[in-house]
Amino acid sequence: MIRFTLTKDTTVFFIEKERDVSMSSLYQVLSPAGELVGDLKGQLDEVTMIKMYENMVLVRQFDRKSINLQRQGRMGTYAPFEGQEASQVGSAMALTPGDWLFPTYRDHAAAIVHGQSMARVFLYWMGHMEGSISPKHLNIMPPCVPIATQMVHAVGTAWASKLQNEKHVSIAYFGDGASSEGDFHEALNFAGVFQTPTIFFCQNNGFAISIPFSQQSASKTIAQRSAAYDIPGVRIDGNDIFAVWLTMKEAMQRALDGKGPTLIEAVTFRYGAHTTADDPKKYRDQESLSEEWRKERDPLQRLRVFLENQGLWNETKEAELNARVNEQIDAALVDAESYPKSKPEDMFKHVYAEPSWMATEQESELVKPSKQEGIPA
Amino acid sequence: MIRFTLTKDTTVFFIEKERDVSMSSLYQVLSPAGELVGDLKGQLDEVTMIKMYENMVLVRQFDRKSINLQRQGRMGTYAPFEGQEASQVGSAMALTPGDWLFPTYRDHAAAIVHGQSMARVFLYWMGHMEGSISPKHLNIMPPCVPIATQMVHAVGTAWASKLQNEKHVSIAYFGDGASSEGDFHEALNFAGVFQTPTIFFCQNNGFAISIPFSQQSASKTIAQRSAAYDIPGVRIDGNDIFAVWLTMKEAMQRALDGKGPTLIEAVTFRYGAHTTADDPKKYRDQESLSEEWRKERDPLQRLRVFLENQGLWNETKEAELNARVNEQIDAALVDAESYPKSKPEDMFKHVYAEPSWMATEQESELVKPSKQEGIPA
Amino acid sequence: MKRKLTMIQAITEAMDQKLADDSRIMLLGEDIGVNGGVFRATEDLIHKYGPDRVVDTPLAEAGIIGSAIGLAMNGKIPVVEIQFLAFIYPGFEQIVSHAARMRYRTRGQYHVPMVIRTPYGAGIRGPELHSESVETFFAHVPGLKVVAPSTPYDAKGLLIAAMEDPDPIIFLEPTKLYRAFKQEVPEEMYRVPIGKAKVVQEGSDISIFAWGAMLRVAEDAAKQIERENGLSCEVIDLRTLYPLDRDTIIASVKKTGRAVVVHEAHKTAGLGAEIISIINDEALIYMKAPVKRITGFDVPVPQFSIEDDYLPTAERVKDGIMETATF
Amino acid sequence: MKRKLTMIQAITEAMDQKLADDSRIMLLGEDIGVNGGVFRATEDLIHKYGPDRVVDTPLAEAGIIGSAIGLAMNGKIPVVEIQFLAFIYPGFEQIVSHAARMRYRTRGQYHVPMVIRTPYGAGIRGPELHSESVETFFAHVPGLKVVAPSTPYDAKGLLIAAMEDPDPIIFLEPTKLYRAFKQEVPEEMYRVPIGKAKVVQEGSDISIFAWGAMLRVAEDAAKQIERENGLSCEVIDLRTLYPLDRDTIIASVKKTGRAVVVHEAHKTAGLGAEIISIINDEALIYMKAPVKRITGFDVPVPQFSIEDDYLPTAERVKDGIMETATF
Ligand SMILES: Cc1ncc(C[n+]2csc(CCOP(=O)(O)OP(=O)(O)O)c2C)c(N)n1
Ligand SMILES: Cc1ncc(C[n+]2csc(CCOP(=O)(O)OP(=O)(O)O)c2C)c(N)n1
Ligand SMILES: [Mg+2]
Ligand SMILES: [Mg+2]
């Protein structure tokens, strides 16, 4: 419960007296045990539920594959998202093709589900110059590296959609750590003022690299910050894909109805390292924490139990699915590894619409004419 | 009253349903009619009350004098504060000498009351190189020009005070417009995390140059943002010097007790232009707005009525006071105008502790040796 | 009858005409709406085009520039006003890490057609941080273009060209020249090409490179020197600071063999250094003397009572010319 | 038995010793506490000195740098770690408009003894924006000093000197060299003076100026050239980038008459231009050839699969040397 005291005789009125920040206070529809504890509002059909599960399995396998590829030296540093599948898959599945998606370096599950090719994502992590291209007719932005900076872009694209009467939302993914940056504040404030159809989707995975949220802010939640801008905010179970999807749909509807932005805090956890260059054992009780989340709140597990109970899923389907996604991932990897390598000259392209004289000249400095060139063939 | 709905069945819980943002909801002790409507908590004695009035008269005259000096070309562009005297004087009078004061370009009333010499303030607005020096044993920082940036400094100095076990607070003055900058957010969040003895003193004068607060944010108040950081916040009548002073004392006590920062939103109004280069008629109904505030909520007026009713003030005292402050201001102006002018060479000083070769050399480029130098005397 | 405008009027007209011409153009900034901008560059435009196209924003430069990036990627052409150059810093990350790189990162799929206009430079008795001239910060960022007009005519033509350019442009307006003089400015829309310097005055003995408010100082010095010493100065207004117009620079020094660069930015790592280096690269053997830099000093721009001593003067430029000429 | 350390170890030791030596020293940054920093520069220091002196901050660079300014003004000596150079931009305003100017504005009454350490440069297969080399941004700001070591020995000595310096210092650590090699490093505290370049190798035919990770590239090229072409190269590590050690630069080119500058920053408005200009100012008549710049290109640092092609190589430096030598 949230309460503020407001009296005339003590001057301080905005002190918060109590706030329930326990897991049980999160908006939840599907419990960790796979039971329906909330209302589906007649919106979630079986086909979608099965697709949710399939997508989560796909991206989890993709993630694990990527870690392996990095270990084998076939990819650069990689940022895994295992544990956050419900948040990313559920939110991305709520989108429609014309929406604008602003991922961070950890949101390729969302990008893939929205239509990014896995081969492209591999290329990105292989350091390829063409790793950030969006599929045509979709607006999947390059993964954003400088923390929180994409949040204001998602205000801008949404604002343009609104001005152009296009019925699209923009969604900015960001982390708990990102909520400390000034850009977080400026983005939410702008979105509030211009009532842009922007969804600020925070995956609060509890850590910004090594920093737990308790050290990131004295505030207990991120959702409560929506009140600072008089925009709606919500704190949900980010491992419950139904809650994520339903919340997104509601936020999207509000956005498209001209009622402006929403801040969603999806409480979740990354099971593994911040990136493959990180060692989580240095800063947290990695084993027990990770095990606790895996065992007690895993997003895939609870949906599988639910689907099985509904008679919508079984061992055979699971085996088939696993085979299928592995095949898809392998095919994507073949595509990525057989994709023409970036050439040194590529760096001189697309700096400007028309290359400057510097680029033209420097390109020739790089690509030296063959020493043989004077010798007639 | 502030209420949030929180239900399990609608996902959105942090939507605010109602908030009383009327004047009457502000914390107030001395009403515009000069009546005591709140508790003085046994803290405000008559001597202090009289001093408050005297200070407000002093700075109001100083402000008017400055505008005149600017018109006469004896000063550069000047930022007046008339209307905001209770906020600045009341807050500064609550401070003790070891506290750190971070003013903006509009907070010279606070600086003067805390001990800055009026001559120094004149020098600042005359573009003198020595206009930003603090009196010894006080920590009055140079007026901060880039909006909101001083707020994080006040976190740092307060943090150092805390680490060094010095019982001092740091106060950052800022405006309603400043609350939109990222630095506002980072400062409040840092102060919350490190529980620094910082007081964030916002003078919400309703406008950032031409932009009314209603266009600055979808939020109705600035004080409500304290909830985003789980720090105390308060919205007060910034034209009521008793409310300002008592709120400050409470915030200071909390800070010195190790209970961290406070956000104070003092609701007030600037009667005149943003600066002498500004024309408020361009963007607001200057006459009626200004008249309304002057007539109905003037900070000097209400205190004078109160003091007169208490038998602490009368016409004679008023006349004496006016004569005295004008004398003081005139003396300060003489000091400022007879102060040695900045010399071109001054710009090469204090860039580093030890001048770089560039400065040394360039200084000689500026201060050309006399053309006569080759000629023996 | 020819019509004369100040630079600020020319700038307003450029925006006015493009707003009318291209519905994608949007202006954003602090106090640019009803107030018409602190220098009145956007005077009345909100009344003509409405608050959706001339937008008073909250006081937050990262928010302004960052949301403008989003607007630009989604079909708009934002023209941002930053109140004074030093107040661009909160948006620096957005400019350097995003605006300048979006085309590159997406291999041309998305780009950021955006103009950031901002007054710059000293000499108007402004308070602290109202007088900076830090064009270097932007001329070191591949993906940006940097433009600085010195006349009303060029201001209008360059600003129109900037608003039609597909890449992000930092458009630096010399505060001191906003109302310093009037010049004939055609009523119709015209473009002054970005990337081209202008030979303001031909000459044979020495080349003087300048831009923005320093152009007039350079011209002054050149006139005096011609009168007093009979030296023929070629005065060149660079106009675009990134990418620099190397051909014009080199053609001039090959003719004169001597050069002075005048800028109000700090000397160290100012653009004077890049101009010297271009000459070093391409025309060293033509040079009869070191290129002389007459610049702002390596100190923070001082408070306004002595800001004129910080700025290059015709006197200092003349000394530089003579030093070079008599080397 | 002589002790050898990597650069990162030398940096850790410098901080460790100063933390022990001066109770005013405080470290601040993201993940520098229990995690020991993403490069482990602050490994274990939180355990030795506690969380009040080795502070894990929220993820907000303006907050970090801005509060460090306040700490510095009130008796502390903050040593800030920014995780990668490009992530300093959110704090750019705090550095340029405040840290660099506090002494100046208060006429020496307040000053900001602060060190901002940050890894910089390319070559470690980092993701986007982990490879920038934008020292120009800081070398154009009077009031700052900019330092960039190239060896473990210098890293320790320069960092200790920086922590004892009364003015704000941007301390650029070449990421690529953190663990590239070990070098003998004395156990005791020592200082390497800020503002002094180092002649790494004397020579008579050509001067090569470099810093950070480019120093090794320059040395490599010099060795190969001596072997292959018999040219004697003088290799100079500038170490301090602002203010530059003009005397050492000039003394060298007066001797050799030829010079090459190597840096990984973009060419235009890179510090190579300033070095050329200093030579132009002071030693032009000694020069037998244009000074050659071998630098990063005028493009955003590319994704890592081709970052090595962006960086100057010994091969490119050798070409530059030969071009200069045969001019
Ligand atoms: C401006 C900026 N500062 C620092 C970094 C380095 N960095 C990369 S990820 C990260 C932590 C982000 O935490 P959070 O926002 O919670 O997202 P998560 O990684 O948990 O998904 C940091 C500090 C950065 N990329 N950008
Ligand atoms: C970073 C920055 N952006 C813009 C400005 C220009 N500017 C000076 S005062 C001001 C309005 C400030 O409004 P507010 O914070 O409400 O303070 P007030 O002037 O009302 O006291 C603006 C936009 C600035 N000084 N710094
Ligand atoms: Mg996180
Ligand atoms: Mg205001």
Side-chain angles (χ1 to χ4, degrees), chain B residues 105-106 145 147 175-178 205 207-208 274, chain C residues 30 61 83 87:
Chain B
Y105 47 84
R106 200 186 301 292
V145 172
I147 300 295
D176 43 304
N205 63 7
F207 285 84
H274 169 72
Chain C
E30 296 157 8
E61 290 76 9
Q83 224 156 59
F87 306 144

Side-chain angles (χ1 to χ4, degrees), chain B residues 100 102 124 129-130 132-136 138-150 152-161 163-164 166 183 186-187 189-190 193-194 346-354 356-358 361, chain D residues 24 26 28 52 55-71 73-76 90 93-94 97-98 100 102-110 141-145 166-168 242-246 274 278 282:
Chain B
W100 289 72
F102 289 85
Y124 180 80
M129 290 297 279
E130 298 188 359
S132 287
I133 296 175
S134 175
K136 277 214 183 68
L138 295 178
N139 293 305
I140 301 177
M141 296 299 101
C144 186
V145 172
I147 300 295
T149 53
Q150 76 282 16
V152 273
H153 305 165
V155 173
T157 50
W159 190 357
S161 295
L163 290 170
Q164 287 155 183
E166 293 153 359
D183 282 6
E186 300 193 15
N189 190 48
F190 263 66
V193 169
F194 299 108
D346 290 346
M347 79 176 83
F348 296 99
K349 300 205 174 83
H350 304 298
V351 182
Y352 300 97
E354 300 290 328
S356 73
W357 61 263
M358 287 105 72
E361 197 151 294
Chain D
R24 296 170 303 170
M26 259 176 90
L28 294 93
D52 276 353
V55 186
D56 269 325
T57 65
L59 207 180
E61 290 76 10
I64 299 171
I65 295 170
S67 59
I69 289 172
L71 285 162
M73 293 199 306
N74 192 7
K76 296 292 182 185
E93 178 174 43
Q94 289 292 343
S97 296
H98 287 297
M102 198 56 76
R103 177 188 292 283
Y104 191 71
R105 302 176 70 210
T106 63
R107 307 278 81 198
Q109 198 182 17
Y110 293 91
V141 182
L144 300 181
K145 296 179 184 175
D167 288 306
Y242 192 63
L244 284 164
D245 180 358
R246 179 176 56 167
E274 186 56 40
I278 287 177
E282 304 289 323

Side-chain angles (χ1 to χ4, degrees), chain D residues 3 5 15 24 32 36 55 79 82 85 100 102 119 130 168 170 185 197 202 221-222 229 254 260 298-299:
Chain D
R3 194 184 59 135
L5 299 183
M15 289 189 283
R24 296 170 303 170
I32 68 164
V55 186
V79 180
I82 296 295
L85 177 53
M102 198 56 76
H130 286 64
I170 309 291
V185 173
E202 294 203 19
N229 303 75
K254 281 190 174 167
V260 171
D298 282 320
V299 305

Side-chain angles (χ1 to χ4, degrees), chain A residues 2 4 8 11 13-14 16 27 179 182 185-186 189 216-217 219-220 224-225 227-228 230 233-235 250, chain B residues 2 4 11 13-14 16 24 27 179 182 185-186 189 216-217 219-220 224-225 227-228 230 233-235 250:
Chain A
I2 295 151
F4 294 89
K8 266 269 179 190
T11 51
F13 19 104
F14 289 118
E16 192 186 341
Y27 171 62
S179 71
H185 174 71
E186 300 193 15
N189 191 47
Q216 194 66 246
S217 180
S219 82
K220 307 290 177 301
Q224 74 192 75
R225 299 215 180 139
D230 275 336
V234 54
R235 185 165 150 92
E250 197 174 323
Chain B
I2 295 152
F4 295 90
T11 50
F13 19 105
F14 287 121
E16 192 185 341
S24 64
Y27 171 63
S179 71
H185 174 71
E186 300 193 15
N189 190 48
Q216 196 66 246
S217 181
S219 83
K220 307 290 177 304
Q224 74 192 76
R225 298 215 179 141
D230 275 336
V234 54
R235 186 167 151 92
E250 197 174 323

Side-chain angles (χ1 to χ4, degrees), chain D residues 65-285:
Chain D
I65 295 170
S67 59
I69 289 172
L71 285 162
M73 293 199 306
N74 192 7
K76 296 292 182 185
I77 301 176
V79 180
V80 166
E81 175 174 302
I82 296 295
Q83 225 158 58
F84 287 89
L85 177 53
F87 306 143
I88 209 169
Y89 301 144
F92 196 66
E93 178 174 43
Q94 289 292 343
I95 296 172
V96 176
S97 296
H98 287 297
R101 298 170 62 102
M102 198 56 76
R103 177 188 292 283
Y104 191 71
R105 302 176 70 210
T106 63
R107 307 278 81 198
Q109 198 182 17
Y110 293 91
H111 64 127
V112 181
M114 163 167 82
V115 181
I116 302 181
R117 298 176 38 243
T118 176
Y120 87 106
I124 54 153
R125 288 169 62 85
E128 296 173 278
L129 292 170
H130 286 64
S131 312
E132 312 300 294
S133 180
V134 289
E135 54 269 26
T136 286
F137 290 160
F138 307 100
H140 190 53
V141 182
L144 300 181
K145 296 179 184 175
V146 185
V147 172
S150 73
T151 65
Y153 179 92
D154 280 355
K156 179 174 172 184
L158 283 166
L159 185 51
I160 289 173
M163 290 187 280
E164 292 173 354
D165 196 281
D167 288 306
I169 291 182
I170 309 291
F171 196 87
L172 300 171
E173 302 170 358
T175 323
K176 201 176 173 177
L177 301 187
Y178 268 153
R179 296 186 165 80
F181 64 101
K182 292 193 169 196
Q183 189 187 30
E184 271 174 37
V185 173
E187 298 215 25
E188 70 274 11
M189 284 214 272
Y190 59 89
R191 287 92 194 150
V192 170
I194 290 169
K196 290 269 166 274
K198 182 178 173 195
V199 180
V200 173
Q201 173 189 315
E202 294 203 19
S204 53
D205 295 328
I206 188 159
S207 307
I208 310 181
F209 301 104
W211 56 91
M214 289 302 105
L215 208 259
R216 309 204 82 201
V217 175
E219 285 183 295
D220 254 28
K223 278 203 196 77
Q224 293 181 34
I225 280 279
E226 277 192 59
R227 203 170 47 231
E228 295 165 13
N229 303 75
L231 285 173
S232 158
C233 300
E234 177 142 307
V235 181
I236 291 178
D237 182 358
L238 289 174
R239 299 197 298 198
T240 294
L241 306 183
Y242 192 63
L244 284 164
D245 180 358
R246 179 176 56 167
D247 294 346
T248 302
I249 295 170
I250 295 305
S252 181
V253 295
K254 281 190 174 167
K255 181 168 70 175
T256 61
R258 298 180 199 272
V260 171
V261 189
V262 187
H263 63 63
E264 52 177 298
H266 311 302
K267 184 174 194 175
T268 298
L271 286 187
E274 186 56 40
I275 293 161
I276 290 178
S277 299
I278 287 177
I279 293 172
N280 161 87
D281 291 351
E282 304 289 323
L284 190 68
I285 51 170

Side-chain angles (χ1 to χ4, degrees), chain A residues 3-20:
Chain A
R3 279 198 224 296
F4 294 89
T5 52
L6 171 64
T7 70
K8 266 269 179 190
D9 284 329
T10 63
T11 51
V12 176
F13 19 104
F14 289 118
I15 290 189
E16 192 186 341
K17 288 296 176 212
E18 39 170 325
R19 186 192 305 277
D20 182 357

